[in-house]
């Protein structure tokens, strides 16, 4: 467990709400960051948790200064511009938990990836902010599974990718609080290519399964 | 079960040998195709199964005319040139089971994919040979797992992609003979993007697992 009980969530959509609500339930203090502090979904999040006194809202920059851990819960493509707006100085040494995928809907459905194969969104963020500590994780599952993996019929796997061992350890502790028993450390941030490219299979499995509440389990030899 | 007991395997490497040996053990007649009929690995395959009288060797073209089902077990990049050498007329209506991946080792390890994201090797083969019936499958596992999935600690998943329902049904029957209980039909050949791109995760899992004998299982909600 990290001692740090403050986390910023960047983004107010379904993923941001799901993550932020889970963090509040786990006892964290959470600031939901958005472009405009008065974002109505961020205000609704704070209002819904008013009795706890632990939910707050702010601009992206305020969220970045609020916490040592930030979770990116916006569309993959917008993360780099949001982080650029915050600025490298404010991101130094921060743990940026990137749970997004660089989905490209411009060619219709199903989406392709806008960064792929010899690069990944995780790597691109790390290269853009060398003094931040990027950890890629949770991007292989729907938000409901992210925060409640035990809803599935059996234990399944989640992955972490990143260059900073201490940052990964902090994130692994957080994942365990979410209900992930044994996150698999794939290695440095280049391994984010693997989990981001798995999305191409995930989006094909969704209609087969009939809902987005599924995950993969690595099955090994006897 | 298909009534067709003849299968051609294109390729003499580890994957080709593994598939061909399995087919012989299942009672199929198998011709191993290679560039030169006298390929020493193809000859060794025939010799090792001489007592059965069911193993033979031939050129790629001879293999194509021998069977209604062909399994491609060569490096991904070479399949299109091999099939071009055979010619579209000889491939008309044939079931081509593509179990390969378009791995690109030119940038070093780990490999990237030479076809990716908005296209796949499976699709490219189908587009090149419109009257052939391409079924993409088994490309998500090591050859030892392909032919012996029950070596794993529990049931895991395999996928089929293809435009021709009858061809997929034939291949699913064959997969069941290999030991795959319930292959998942992902849809048309464009879904091969999903299984080919999963390779980017597979190659990162290999060192984590410590050996290539693993697979994924789709875990659903309770």
């Amino acid at each position: 467990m990290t001692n740090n009980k403050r986390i910023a969530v960047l983004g107010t959509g379904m993923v941001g709400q799901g993550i932020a609500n889970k963090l509040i339930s786990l006892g964290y203090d959470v600031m939901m960051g958005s472009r405009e502090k008065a974002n109505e979904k961020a205000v609704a999040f704070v209002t819904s948790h008013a009795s706890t006194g632990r939910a707050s809202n702010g601009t992206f920059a305020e969220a970045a200064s609020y916490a040592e851990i930030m979770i990116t819960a916006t569309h993959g493509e917008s993360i780099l511009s949001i982080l650029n707006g915050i600025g490298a100085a404010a991101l130094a040494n921060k743990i940026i938990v990137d749970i997004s995928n660089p989905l490209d809907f411009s060619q219709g459905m199903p989406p392709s990836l806008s960064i792929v194969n010899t690069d990944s969104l995780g790597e691109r963020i790390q290269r853009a902010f060398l003094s931040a500590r990027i950890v890629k994780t949770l991007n292989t599952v729907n938000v409901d599974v992210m925060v409640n993996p035990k809803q599935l019929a059996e234990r399944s796997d989640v992955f972490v990718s990143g260059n900073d061992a201490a940052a990964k350890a902090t994130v692994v502790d957080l994942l365990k609080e979410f209900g992930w028993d044994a996150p698999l450390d794939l290695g440095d941030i280049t391994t984010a290519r693997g989990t981001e490219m798995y999305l191409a299979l995930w989006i094909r499995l969704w209609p087969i399964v009939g809902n987005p509440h599924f995950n993969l389990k690595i099955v090994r030899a006897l």
Side-chain angles (χ1 to χ4, degrees), chain A residues 28-126:
Chain A
Y28 286 88
D29 295 327
V30 178
M31 182 180 286
M32 182 173 280
S34 52
R35 223 168 276 282
E36 305 289 340
K37 179 171 181 163
N39 177 293
E40 66 179 17
K41 290 192 232 163
V43 171
F45 162 74
V46 174
T47 305
S48 71
H49 294 289
S51 64
T52 70
R54 290 190 276 100
S56 58
N57 58 316
T59 63
F60 288 129
E62 286 169 339
S65 68
Y66 172 80
E68 297 308 304
I69 302 175
M70 268 172 286
I71 300 179
T72 65
T74 66
H75 291 294
E77 296 176 1
S78 57
I79 289 172
L80 280 162
S81 70
I82 290 169
L83 295 178
N84 275 322
I86 294 171
L91 296 173
N93 293 314
K94 302 280 186 178
I95 296 175
I96 300 177
V97 186
D98 175 27
I99 63 174
S100 69
N101 286 295
L103 296 176
D104 177 2
F105 294 91
S106 68
Q107 309 296 313
M109 291 295 287
S112 55
L113 298 175
S114 58
I115 306 171
V116 70
N117 203 26
T118 55
D119 199 3
S120 62
L121 179 59
E123 287 166 86
R124 196 167 291 189
I125 298 171
Q126 183 64 81

Side-chain angles (χ1 to χ4, degrees), chain A residues 131-152:
Chain A
S131 61
R133 300 183 288 164
I134 315 303
V135 179
K136 186 97 199 185
T137 191
L138 290 175
N139 59 309
T140 52
V141 289
N142 164 275
V143 63
D144 298 326
V145 179
M146 289 181 187
V147 300
N148 183 16
K150 296 219 158 77
Q151 76 183 276
L152 301 185

